[in-house]
Amino acid sequence: MKEKQNKRWGLKLLSVLCAFLVWLGVVNVADPVMTSTVEVPVEIVNGEVLEASGLTYEIIGKKTTTVSYEVKTTNAHRIRPADFRAYADMTDLWSVTGSIPVKVEVLNHSEYLLSAPVSRVSTIKIETEPLQKKRFDINVSYAGDLEEGYEAGDVVLSPDHLYVEGPESTIGQISSVGIEISLDGLTMDAEGTASPQFYDANGNKIVLDQRVEVDCESVSYSMPVLKVKSLLLDFEVSGQVADGYRFTGVECDVKSVPVIGLKSVLASLNTITIPGESLNLDGARTNMVRTIDINEYLPVGVSLAGTGRHEINVTLTVEQLKERVYTVEVNDASFTGENDDYIYRAEPDTVNIRIEALAEELDSLTLDSADIQVDVSSMGEGIHEAKVVLKLDLDRVYRVLDISSCSIQVMKVPEATESASSAGTAEETTAETSTGASETDDASGAQDGTEVSGTAASHETEESRRAEVHPAEESSSAQENR
């Protein structure tokens, strides 16, 4: 009995072993071991080693590696790329080739792996370049338009600058940094925040890569919206031009400029004065051009509106003076203070008046005898040197340089003229009386009467002329006494 029982236990053990072998075979056939791969990004560690040397790096080629691993088929779905970590330690950098070994470690589900995972890329290559840190002031640009009659004032930024650090080649592409503010429909002060934008030399936006670090992510701004007013330009000119020249005016292509400021400040302003020290023309002989920066003459709290030019060109016009001689006749219209007992005659009968002015002013000037004056009130009989005065009230643009003189001959009105006149009157009276007394008088009687009267008149005229004749010495003395 005992031998039979022992044989049964042996058969049972053999059956169990056969069953295990069968099960093992079935398992191996139904759930085989498989090799699978995942793409894992390569992480760079200890990068501060390069930063301490003032260098930065960039991975050349792929920035991922393929990780290979073995796993049972039934567990393959459990494995994810996140279960692995691929990294390259910068301390292992081979500077000659720029290569760093890639290492892989398992983060999760290591129990399902039948062997250590392996990176199919043994190394990655990097390229180094100098690291640069640079400061940029933050500028402001505008989008849209304000309501008519308004202008944006000075914007206050916080911060007003930022620092950018990264590869030298990338930092070198940045020309400016700024924020953009929308103006559409604004009539009141505006406040807000904006992200800084980076621009190249052509004003195009630049998208920075991950290697660039910026110490400012947003910028706060406040912007006043100001009223616009147009102010006239007032020019004060100082100095004296050279002799023989005259300053004739100011020419400028800009008559007024738009400015912005608080209403309370603009209320009392109508002009912008450019002072004389900026427009000096001492010794000038030709036109002088001065470039004026209007910003230098704006009152406190006022600035130019818009983005137009702030410099203007002012021309001080200078013209040469000309001389012209006017010949004017001296006649009765020129005398003042005449005595009816004398006759006045100028020798020569014209005078020359030399006047200085601009050519166009000289062209418009005419003079005649009534425009000059000779005072003869103190002149007696004889020849006198006379002073000719310009009686015409000339505009101050004319300058009288010289007036030639003349002599005035003064002669007494002859008395013979009065005697002859009296004789003629008496003759006419006698003829009329004779005619009225007798119409029958014969022609010879009338003729005798006329001859007598004529003889008497002639005798009287001769006596008058003789009375006016004086010896030379006497005339001379009389003239001196006069």
Side-chain angles (χ1 to χ4, degrees):
M1 286 294 294
K2 290 183 179 179
E3 289 180 359
K4 289 181 179 181
Q5 290 179 351
N6 289 336
K7 288 180 180 180
R8 290 177 181 173
W9 280 106
L11 291 174
K12 291 180 179 180
L13 290 175
L14 181 60
S15 299
V16 171
L17 178 61
C18 290
F20 174 75
L21 291 175
V22 172
W23 174 82
L24 184 61
V26 172
V27 170
N28 286 334
V29 172
D31 190 14
V33 175
M34 62 179 294
T35 300
S36 186
T37 60
V38 290
E39 202 70 17
V40 179
V42 178
E43 177 187 352
I44 303 296
V45 297
N46 295 321
E48 62 274 9
V49 173
L50 290 180
E51 293 179 5
S53 301
L55 297 174
T56 185
Y57 65 91
E58 182 179 12
I59 298 176
I60 305 302
K62 289 179 62 177
K63 298 181 180 181
T64 62
T65 185
T66 302
V67 176
S68 176
Y69 59 91
E70 290 183 345
V71 66
K72 292 283 187 175
T73 303
T74 54
N75 295 323
H77 69 281
R78 302 177 185 273
I79 307 302
R80 298 285 184 270
D83 294 333
F84 303 95
R85 177 194 179 207
Y87 63 95
D89 194 337
M90 199 65 72
T91 58
D92 297 331
L93 173 65
W94 188 20
S95 60
V96 176
T97 62
S99 299
I100 308 174
V102 175
K103 300 176 182 179
V104 178
E105 66 178 28
V106 181
L107 300 179
N108 301 302
H109 300 143
S110 59
E111 66 273 16
Y112 299 121
L113 301 179
L114 302 179
S115 61
V118 178
S119 173
R120 290 187 178 179
V121 177
S122 60
T123 63
I124 63 168
K125 295 190 67 175
I126 66 169
E127 186 178 73
T128 62
E129 66 174 302
L131 188 67
Q132 184 180 20
K133 186 176 183 179
K134 189 174 181 180
R135 167 180 165 150
F136 290 93
D137 290 331
I138 301 175
N139 303 316
V140 178
S141 60
Y142 302 99
D145 298 306
L146 289 169
E147 292 291 327
E148 185 176 356
Y150 293 89
E151 188 73 28
D154 293 333
V155 180
V156 177
L157 302 178
S158 179
D160 59 0
H161 68 276
L162 55 77
Y163 286 92
V164 179
E165 185 176 20
E168 189 176 58
S169 59
T170 302
I171 302 301
Q173 296 176 11
I174 303 174
S175 177
S176 61
V177 179
I179 63 170
E180 187 176 273
I181 300 176
S182 176
L183 302 179
D184 285 332
L186 286 180
T187 58
M188 301 178 62
D189 297 350
E191 294 182 351
T193 60
S195 299
Q197 303 291 329
F198 301 88
Y199 303 90
D200 61 16
N202 294 323
N204 300 317
K205 288 184 179 181
I206 301 174
V207 179
L208 303 180
D209 61 36
Q210 296 178 350
R211 294 178 297 162
V212 178
E213 296 182 359
V214 182
D215 69 346
C216 173
E217 295 184 355
S218 65
V219 178
S220 300
Y221 67 86
S222 60
M223 181 188 70
V225 176
L226 305 174
K227 187 70 176 175
V228 178
K229 184 176 182 179
S230 183
L231 300 181
L232 295 173
L233 294 178
D234 181 29
F235 302 101
E236 294 180 351
V237 180
S238 64
Q240 296 293 329
V241 297
D243 290 340
Y245 295 82
R246 183 192 298 165
F247 164 66
T248 57
V250 178
E251 296 179 358
C252 182
D253 57 348
V254 177
K255 305 301 180 184
S256 62
V257 293
V259 297
I260 55 176
L262 298 176
K263 294 180 181 179
S264 58
V265 176
L266 294 179
S268 60
L269 293 178
N270 294 305
T271 60
I272 299 174
T273 300
I274 309 301
E277 56 264 25
S278 299
L279 301 174
N280 186 280
L281 42 67
D282 279 332
R285 297 176 183 270
T286 59
N287 292 350
M288 303 185 71
V289 179
R290 296 283 187 266
T291 299
I292 303 298
D293 187 346
I294 300 178
N295 285 325
E296 297 180 5
Y297 307 102
L298 294 177
V300 177
V302 176
S303 59
L304 290 176
T307 58
R309 61 174 184 167
H310 58 88
E311 290 186 343
I312 60 172
N313 292 323
V314 180
T315 302
L316 307 178
T317 57
V318 177
E319 297 184 40
Q320 186 174 12
L321 297 173
K322 305 293 183 180
E323 294 183 8
R324 185 171 298 177
V325 175
Y326 296 83
T327 301
V328 183
E329 182 182 1
V330 183
N331 55 32
D332 291 344
S334 308
F335 299 136
T336 180
E338 303 102 315
N339 189 327
D340 293 340
D341 294 335
Y342 295 103
I343 298 174
Y344 303 90
R345 181 182 301 162
E347 295 181 0
D349 59 355
T350 60
V351 293
N352 293 327
I353 303 176
R354 188 159 57 95
I355 297 178
E356 181 184 63
L358 297 177
E360 60 182 16
E361 295 167 349
L362 295 173
D363 292 341
S364 65
L365 178 64
T366 57
L367 298 175
D368 57 29
S369 301
D371 296 325
I372 61 174
Q373 178 177 289
V374 180
D375 187 1
V376 298
S377 60
S378 62
M379 296 181 184
E381 187 175 4
I383 298 175
H384 304 267
E385 290 296 322
K387 180 180 180 181
V388 180
V389 178
L390 185 61
K391 182 173 63 174
L392 179 65
D393 187 16
L394 291 177
D395 192 273
R396 63 179 183 177
V397 298
Y398 297 96
R399 179 186 174 196
V400 180
L401 301 177
D402 180 61
I403 302 178
S404 64
S405 61
C406 65
S407 297
I408 304 297
Q409 183 181 10
V410 183
M411 298 175 292
K412 192 173 182 64
V413 176
E415 295 181 5
T417 303
E418 296 179 358
S419 300
S421 177
S422 300
T425 304
E427 183 179 355
E428 292 175 359
T429 303
T430 302
E432 291 175 358
T433 304
S434 298
T435 302
S438 177
E439 295 180 357
T440 61
D441 287 349
D442 57 299
S444 60
Q447 184 176 1
D448 291 342
T450 302
E451 290 177 355
V452 171
S453 301
T455 303
S458 175
H459 179 72
E460 184 178 357
T461 301
E462 186 176 351
E463 290 295 322
S464 300
R465 286 177 179 174
R466 191 177 299 116
E468 287 296 315
V469 176
H470 301 282
E473 296 180 359
E474 184 179 349
S475 301
S476 177
S477 302
Q479 186 173 353
E480 289 177 359
N481 292 334
R482 292 191 187 99

Coordinates of all heavy atoms in Angstrom, one line a residue, residues 134 136-143 162 164 170-181 194-208:
K134 N 22.5 93.9 -22.0 CA 22.5 95.2 -22.6 C 21.2 96.0 -22.1 O 20.2 95.3 -21.9 CB 22.5 95.2 -24.1 CG 22.6 96.6 -24.8 CD 22.7 96.4 -26.3 CE 22.9 97.7 -27.0 NZ 23.1 97.6 -28.4
F136 N 18.3 98.9 -22.5 CA 17.5 99.6 -23.6 C 16.5 100.5 -22.9 O 15.8 100.1 -22.0 CB 16.8 98.6 -24.5 CG 17.6 97.8 -25.4 CD1 18.1 96.5 -25.0 CD2 18.0 98.3 -26.6 CE1 18.9 95.8 -25.8 CE2 18.8 97.5 -27.5 CZ 19.3 96.3 -27.1
D137 N 16.5 101.8 -23.4 CA 15.4 102.7 -23.0 C 14.1 102.3 -23.7 O 14.1 101.9 -24.8 CB 15.8 104.1 -23.3 CG 16.9 104.6 -22.5 OD1 17.1 104.2 -21.3 OD2 17.7 105.5 -22.9
I138 N 13.0 102.4 -23.0 CA 11.7 102.0 -23.5 C 11.1 103.2 -24.2 O 10.9 104.3 -23.6 CB 10.8 101.5 -22.4 CG1 11.4 100.3 -21.7 CG2 9.5 101.1 -23.0 CD1 10.7 99.7 -20.6
N139 N 10.9 103.1 -25.5 CA 10.2 104.1 -26.3 C 8.7 103.9 -26.4 O 8.2 102.8 -26.0 CB 10.8 104.2 -27.7 CG 12.3 104.4 -27.7 OD1 12.8 105.2 -27.0 ND2 13.0 103.6 -28.5
V140 N 8.0 104.9 -26.9 CA 6.6 104.8 -27.0 C 6.2 105.1 -28.4 O 6.6 106.0 -29.1 CB 5.9 105.9 -26.1 CG1 4.4 105.8 -26.3 CG2 6.2 105.6 -24.6
S141 N 5.3 104.2 -29.0 CA 4.7 104.4 -30.3 C 3.2 104.4 -30.1 O 2.7 103.9 -29.1 CB 5.2 103.3 -31.3 OG 4.8 102.0 -30.8
Y142 N 2.5 105.0 -31.1 CA 1.1 105.2 -31.0 C 0.4 104.5 -32.1 O 0.9 104.4 -33.2 CB 0.7 106.7 -31.0 CG 1.4 107.5 -29.9 CD1 2.6 108.2 -30.1 CD2 0.9 107.4 -28.6 CE1 3.2 108.9 -29.1 CE2 1.5 108.1 -27.6 CZ 2.7 108.9 -27.8 OH 3.3 109.6 -26.8
A143 N -0.8 104.0 -31.8 CA -1.7 103.5 -32.8 C -3.0 104.2 -32.8 O -3.6 104.5 -31.7 CB -1.9 102.0 -32.5
L162 N 14.9 98.7 -19.5 CA 15.0 97.3 -19.2 C 16.3 96.7 -19.6 O 17.0 97.3 -20.4 CB 13.8 96.5 -19.7 CG 13.6 96.5 -21.3 CD1 14.6 95.7 -22.0 CD2 12.2 96.1 -21.6
V164 N 18.3 93.3 -21.2 CA 18.1 92.0 -22.0 C 19.5 91.3 -21.9 O 20.5 91.9 -22.2 CB 17.7 92.3 -23.4 CG1 17.6 91.0 -24.2 CG2 16.4 93.1 -23.4
T170 N 22.1 87.5 -30.9 CA 20.7 87.8 -30.8 C 20.5 89.2 -30.3 O 19.7 90.0 -30.8 CB 20.0 86.8 -29.9 OG1 20.1 85.5 -30.4 CG2 18.5 87.1 -29.8
I171 N 21.3 89.6 -29.2 CA 21.2 90.9 -28.7 C 21.6 91.9 -29.7 O 21.0 93.0 -29.7 CB 22.0 91.0 -27.4 CG1 21.6 90.0 -26.4 CG2 22.0 92.4 -26.8 CD1 20.2 90.0 -25.9
G172 N 22.5 91.6 -30.6 CA 22.9 92.5 -31.6 C 21.9 92.9 -32.6 O 21.9 93.9 -33.3
Q173 N 20.9 92.0 -32.7 CA 19.8 92.3 -33.7 C 18.8 93.3 -33.1 O 18.0 93.9 -33.9 CB 19.1 91.0 -34.0 CG 19.9 89.9 -34.7 CD 19.2 88.6 -34.9 OE1 17.9 88.6 -34.7 NE2 19.9 87.6 -35.2
I174 N 18.8 93.5 -31.8 CA 17.8 94.4 -31.2 C 18.3 95.9 -31.3 O 19.4 96.2 -30.9 CB 17.6 94.1 -29.7 CG1 17.2 92.6 -29.6 CG2 16.6 95.0 -29.1 CD1 17.1 92.2 -28.1
S175 N 17.5 96.7 -32.0 CA 17.9 98.1 -32.2 C 17.1 99.0 -31.2 O 17.7 100.0 -30.7 CB 17.5 98.5 -33.6 OG 17.8 99.9 -33.8
S176 N 15.9 98.6 -30.8 CA 15.1 99.5 -29.9 C 14.1 98.6 -29.2 O 13.7 97.5 -29.7 CB 14.5 100.6 -30.6 OG 13.6 100.2 -31.6
V177 N 13.6 99.2 -28.1 CA 12.5 98.5 -27.3 C 11.4 99.5 -27.1 O 11.7 100.7 -26.8 CB 13.1 97.9 -26.0 CG1 12.0 97.3 -25.2 CG2 14.2 96.9 -26.3
G178 N 10.2 99.1 -27.2 CA 9.1 100.1 -26.9 C 7.8 99.4 -26.6 O 7.7 98.2 -26.7
I179 N 6.9 100.3 -26.2 CA 5.5 99.8 -26.0 C 4.6 100.6 -27.0 O 4.9 101.7 -27.5 CB 5.0 100.0 -24.6 CG1 5.0 101.5 -24.2 CG2 5.9 99.2 -23.6 CD1 4.3 101.8 -22.9
E180 N 3.4 100.1 -27.3 CA 2.5 100.7 -28.2 C 1.2 101.1 -27.4 O 0.7 100.3 -26.7 CB 2.1 99.8 -29.3 CG 1.3 100.4 -30.4 CD 1.0 99.5 -31.6 OE1 1.9 99.4 -32.5 OE2 0.0 98.8 -31.5
I181 N 0.8 102.4 -27.6 CA -0.4 102.9 -26.9 C -1.4 103.2 -27.9 O -1.1 103.9 -28.9 CB -0.1 104.1 -26.0 CG1 1.0 103.7 -25.0 CG2 -1.3 104.7 -25.4 CD1 1.5 104.9 -24.2
A194 N 1.5 97.6 -20.8 CA 1.8 97.0 -22.1 C 3.0 96.2 -22.0 O 3.9 96.5 -21.2 CB 1.9 98.1 -23.1
S195 N 3.1 95.2 -22.9 CA 4.3 94.3 -22.9 C 5.3 95.0 -23.8 O 5.0 95.5 -24.9 CB 3.9 93.0 -23.5 OG 3.0 92.3 -22.6
P196 N 6.6 95.0 -23.4 CA 7.6 95.6 -24.3 C 7.8 94.8 -25.6 O 7.7 93.5 -25.6 CB 8.9 95.5 -23.4 CG 8.6 94.4 -22.4 CD 7.2 94.4 -22.2
Q197 N 8.0 95.5 -26.7 CA 8.2 94.9 -28.0 C 9.7 95.2 -28.4 O 10.2 96.3 -28.1 CB 7.3 95.4 -29.0 CG 5.8 95.2 -28.7 CD 5.4 93.8 -28.7 OE1 5.9 93.0 -29.5 NE2 4.4 93.4 -27.8
F198 N 10.3 94.3 -29.2 CA 11.7 94.5 -29.6 C 11.7 94.7 -31.1 O 11.0 93.9 -31.9 CB 12.5 93.3 -29.2 CG 12.5 93.0 -27.7 CD1 11.5 92.2 -27.1 CD2 13.4 93.6 -26.9 CE1 11.5 92.1 -25.7 CE2 13.4 93.4 -25.5 CZ 12.4 92.6 -24.9
Y199 N 12.5 95.6 -31.6 CA 12.6 96.0 -33.0 C 14.0 96.0 -33.5 O 15.0 96.3 -32.8 CB 12.0 97.4 -33.2 CG 10.6 97.5 -32.7 CD1 10.3 97.9 -31.4 CD2 9.5 97.2 -33.5 CE1 9.0 98.0 -30.9 CE2 8.2 97.4 -33.0 CZ 8.0 97.8 -31.7 OH 6.7 97.9 -31.2
D200 N 14.1 95.6 -34.8 CA 15.4 95.7 -35.4 C 15.7 97.1 -36.0 O 14.8 98.0 -35.8 CB 15.6 94.6 -36.5 CG 14.6 94.8 -37.6 OD1 14.0 95.9 -37.8 OD2 14.4 93.8 -38.4
A201 N 16.8 97.3 -36.7 CA 17.1 98.6 -37.2 C 16.1 99.1 -38.3 O 16.0 100.3 -38.5 CB 18.5 98.6 -37.9
N202 N 15.3 98.2 -38.9 CA 14.3 98.6 -39.8 C 12.9 98.8 -39.2 O 12.0 99.1 -39.9 CB 14.2 97.6 -41.0 CG 15.5 97.6 -41.8 OD1 16.1 98.6 -42.0 ND2 15.9 96.4 -42.2
G203 N 12.9 98.7 -37.9 CA 11.6 98.9 -37.2 C 10.7 97.6 -37.3 O 9.5 97.7 -36.9
N204 N 11.2 96.5 -37.7 CA 10.5 95.3 -37.7 C 10.5 94.6 -36.3 O 11.6 94.6 -35.6 CB 11.0 94.3 -38.7 CG 10.9 94.9 -40.1 OD1 9.9 95.5 -40.5 ND2 12.0 94.8 -40.9
K205 N 9.4 94.0 -35.9 CA 9.4 93.3 -34.6 C 10.3 92.1 -34.6 O 10.4 91.4 -35.6 CB 8.0 92.9 -34.2 CG 7.1 94.1 -33.8 CD 5.8 93.7 -33.4 CE 4.9 94.9 -33.0 NZ 3.6 94.5 -32.5
I206 N 10.9 91.8 -33.5 CA 11.8 90.6 -33.3 C 11.2 89.7 -32.2 O 10.8 90.2 -31.2 CB 13.2 91.0 -32.9 CG1 13.8 91.9 -33.9 CG2 14.1 89.8 -32.7 CD1 15.2 92.5 -33.5
V207 N 11.1 88.4 -32.5 CA 10.6 87.4 -31.5 C 11.9 86.8 -30.9 O 12.7 86.2 -31.6 CB 9.7 86.4 -32.2 CG1 9.3 85.4 -31.1 CG2 8.5 87.0 -32.8
L208 N 12.1 87.0 -29.6 CA 13.3 86.5 -29.0 C 13.2 85.0 -28.6 O 12.1 84.6 -28.3 CB 13.5 87.3 -27.7 CG 13.7 88.9 -27.9 CD1 13.9 89.5 -26.5 CD2 14.8 89.2 -28.8

